[in-house]
Amino acid sequence: MIGCFGAAVTVGVRRGGLLLSLLVLPLYVPTLIFGAEAARRGAEGLDNLGALLMLGGITTGALGLLPFAAGAVLRINLR
């Protein structure tokens, strides 16, 4: 979902690959942080419910908002 949004932002830009990586990387960082925390807590035998709930919230937010954001960006770029 995040990659789809980044691709929609850079669809009309020549040489948008670098711009795509600069725009999308900050959106992946929270997912990486909470995923690593959940894995660390699971490996240590601790309760990882908090990190998994945060990952679920990020996923739910992305599934709910990013298709509409990508559609809006594509409409703007195609004008």
Side-chain angles (χ1 to χ4, degrees):
M1 290 307 244
I2 296 173
C4 176
F5 175 71
V9 170
T10 60
V11 73
V13 179
R14 277 181 47 182
R15 301 187 141 225
L18 180 62
L19 180 63
L20 176 66
S21 63
L22 289 175
L23 289 174
V24 171
L25 185 63
L27 299 174
Y28 281 122
V29 170
T31 305
L32 290 172
I33 289 171
F34 289 115
E37 182 65 18
R40 183 187 67 82
R41 286 179 171 261
E44 291 178 359
L46 300 173
D47 181 32
N48 60 358
L49 182 63
L52 290 176
L53 285 175
M54 289 299 292
L55 282 172
I58 291 170
T59 302
T60 303
L63 285 173
L65 296 176
L66 286 179
F68 296 110
V73 168
L74 284 174
R75 268 187 249 113
I76 291 170
N77 281 339
L78 292 177
R79 285 187 186 179

